Amino acid sequence: MNVKAEQQTTAMDTIKLMAAIAILIGGIAAFYMFEAQSTLLRVIALLVITGVATAVALTSAQGKSLWSFATSARTEVRKVVWPSRQETLQATLIVLFVVLLVGLFLWAVDGILGWILRSIVGTGG
């Protein structure tokens, strides 16, 4: 059995993650504190601060694990064989046709059951 040992979270990793959160919160606070400045400059500064916070977070064990997962997921997405435009159109038309048929069937069943119920209750109409 091949069991992979989980990495232990060290105090340094916790400090890095807390620093990343503090940087991000500080950036958001600065965005609102400098309300008199240009919105474009504030957004650019917030994006830079977010990048710095992300870079700090990615240096932790959890960040490295997340980055590894993201790259693996990207590799798997590249392996997917996506349907062609014609296959997508055909599948969509089949789904629409089946939905229409089921809708008509349920409408008919509702009408028949309503007629039976009105006949039993005797409300007429």
Side-chain angles (χ1 to χ4, degrees):
M1 189 151 66
N2 189 5
V3 177
K4 205 174 186 184
E6 290 188 28
Q7 294 179 340
Q8 296 291 330
T9 302
T10 64
M12 191 60 167
D13 287 335
T14 304
I15 292 171
K16 288 177 185 178
L17 290 174
M18 296 301 283
I21 292 170
I23 291 169
L24 191 59
I25 291 172
I28 293 170
F31 179 83
Y32 289 107
M33 283 177 28
F34 294 107
E35 194 173 341
Q37 300 300 321
S38 166
T39 303
L40 177 63
L41 292 176
R42 291 186 305 145
V43 168
I44 290 172
L46 186 60
L47 289 174
V48 168
I49 290 171
T50 302
V52 169
T54 302
V56 170
L58 287 177
T59 61
S60 69
Q62 294 91 347
K64 290 176 184 175
S65 175
L66 179 65
W67 185 256
S68 174
F69 174 77
T71 55
S72 297
R74 184 175 181 204
T75 302
E76 290 300 319
V77 167
R78 288 182 176 181
K79 293 179 185 178
V80 171
V81 179
W82 298 102
S84 68
R85 182 177 179 90
Q86 182 181 2
E87 291 170 334
T88 304
L89 180 64
Q90 288 173 348
T92 302
L93 291 175
I94 289 171
V95 168
L96 289 174
F97 180 72
V98 170
V99 166
L100 180 67
L101 281 178
V102 170
L104 289 172
F105 173 74
L106 291 174
W107 175 68
V109 168
D110 181 53
I112 292 169
L113 290 176
W115 177 78
I116 291 172
L117 187 62
R118 282 191 303 273
S119 297
I120 293 172
V121 176
T123 58

